[in-house]
Amino acid sequence: MCKLKPLVILFLVLSPLIGKAQDDTTSFWKTLKYGGSFGLNFSDGFFGATLAPSAIYEFDSNFALGAGLNFTYNTQKDISKTTILGANIIGLYNVLPTLQISAEFEQLNVNRRFDSNLEFPNENFWSPALFFGAGFRNGSVTFGLRYNVLFDEDDSIYADPLIPFIRVYF
């Protein structure tokens, strides 16, 4: 019995801490939301596909931080094939229950291969973007506009600095 006494005391001391750690883990997973986007583009001789999963952690009903990944593949017949890989971090703040503002930094690696019959050099470059946005929020869906303050017409993968968005997190 004397050998068990320290184990019983240790168990009695640690059991509330173990329960608290389990509650914190459960709380973390309850406030983690998953979402992302996907897209398909088709036209005459063009195909594009994007898959961009993401997750956010809601600190409270107003503030969330998250991260995401991006994979995009585009091909234009007899012209080029482009592969884009990247990641982003995002901060969301609900000014009102229906108005959300955001800041998002994105870093994409663009690898573009041109058809050998064309005299364009292949490209491989990094394309950073810093977006500030605002959107209308209804439940788990937010739609709005974001603006890329780092936009450079000659050195961006995007055609315009102002981009509409739809965010969905479950």
Side-chain angles (χ1 to χ4, degrees):
M1 181 74 177
C2 290
K3 292 182 180 181
L4 291 178
K5 190 174 181 180
L7 291 175
V8 171
I9 292 171
L10 183 63
F11 175 76
L12 292 174
V13 170
L14 293 179
S15 63
L17 298 175
I18 293 169
K20 175 70 173 144
Q22 289 174 344
D23 289 345
D24 288 345
T25 302
T26 302
S27 174
F28 172 81
W29 292 108
K30 284 183 180 178
T31 56
L32 194 64
K33 305 292 183 193
Y34 301 97
S37 64
F38 68 94
L40 291 173
N41 298 307
F42 299 95
S43 68
D44 187 29
F46 180 83
F47 169 78
T50 297
L51 181 60
S54 63
I56 58 169
Y57 179 80
E58 292 182 322
F59 290 93
D60 57 34
S61 62
N62 293 332
F63 183 65
L65 284 175
L69 300 172
N70 182 308
F71 173 75
T72 300
Y73 177 78
N74 295 321
T75 182
Q76 193 165 1
K77 186 178 178 183
D78 298 327
I79 295 178
S80 68
K81 292 180 182 178
T82 304
T83 304
I84 302 169
L85 298 171
N88 68 342
I89 55 173
I90 188 168
L92 306 171
Y93 183 73
N94 298 318
V95 178
L96 301 169
T98 57
L99 178 63
Q100 183 179 83
I101 59 174
S102 61
E104 178 180 4
F105 179 74
E106 175 181 80
Q107 183 73 3
L108 301 175
N109 180 259
V110 180
N111 187 357
R112 185 176 295 141
R113 302 285 178 224
F114 290 95
D115 187 281
S116 59
N117 295 330
L118 301 175
E119 295 186 18
F120 295 119
N122 292 333
E123 298 175 324
N124 190 336
F125 61 94
W126 289 94
S127 180
L130 178 59
F131 295 102
F132 293 108
F136 175 75
R137 181 175 177 239
N138 187 6
S140 61
V141 178
T142 305
F143 61 92
L145 291 171
R146 61 186 189 160
Y147 184 81
N148 182 0
V149 297
L150 300 179
F151 181 77
D152 179 355
E153 189 174 312
D154 298 326
D155 198 26
S156 179
I157 194 65
Y158 296 107
D160 194 79
L162 191 61
I163 301 172
F165 69 83
I166 298 174
R167 277 190 207 109
V168 179
Y169 286 104
F170 302 99

